Amino acid sequence: DGRSIRLSQFRGKSLLITFIYTRCPLPDFCPRVTRNFAVLERSLVANPALYAKTHLLCASFDPEGDTPARLKAYGEQYMGSEAPKAFAHWDFAVPGKSELHPLAQWFDVGLTNEANDTITHTLSTTLIGPDGKVVRFYPGNEWTPEELLADVEKLYAGASGRA
């Protein structure tokens, strides 16, 4: 919707962040991690207490191609009919060009712009705890939504004795 997002606004919640771009031609890369986030979103909706303590963020690394309108349409493909509610809990965003490479480097995302307008990239998903510290880093695309959910549940079980 064109509004600015800062990681600091999620302090007090667990943030799961992954990196995508909407034109990714490889089904086992961006589409796969976005599908996994959709499964995770549905699992969190089913657990209102955990849902209230979490937020999902898909950050694009294509500031020229991934406009707010394109990201919204992309997100709606994965959210289905629950899209209006889901966008309150799951954001799709793109950093400005000046922030992109420092952000990608910090989250260990390798990027190379190719001559044919594709972006060769690695994958990275990170669980950030409510204190703003990295809890777990998931390189690649081998993680499952169930694994991420279990890690979030463990994070809160450790803090309060129950999830």
Side-chain angles (χ1 to χ4, degrees), residues 15-20 29-30 32-34 36-37 40 56-58 106-109 122-128 134-145 148 151:
L15 176 67
L16 287 146
I17 182 171
T18 198
F19 293 84
I20 54 102
F29 277 72
C30 302
R32 179 178 179 169
V33 298
T34 308
N36 283 346
F37 260 44
L40 179 62
L56 306 182
L57 174 61
C58 286
W106 199 92
F107 284 100
D108 198 27
V109 177
T122 60
L123 294 171
S124 169
T125 302
T126 304
L127 170 59
I128 300 173
V134 171
V135 173
R136 183 150 180 219
F137 175 71
Y138 310 84
N141 61 357
E142 298 303 315
W143 56 267
T144 66
L148 267 62
D151 287 343

Side-chain angles (χ1 to χ4, degrees), residues 75-88:
E76 287 172 344
Q77 288 179 324
Y78 292 91
M79 293 179 186
S81 63
E82 304 217 357
K85 182 180 178 184
F87 278 119

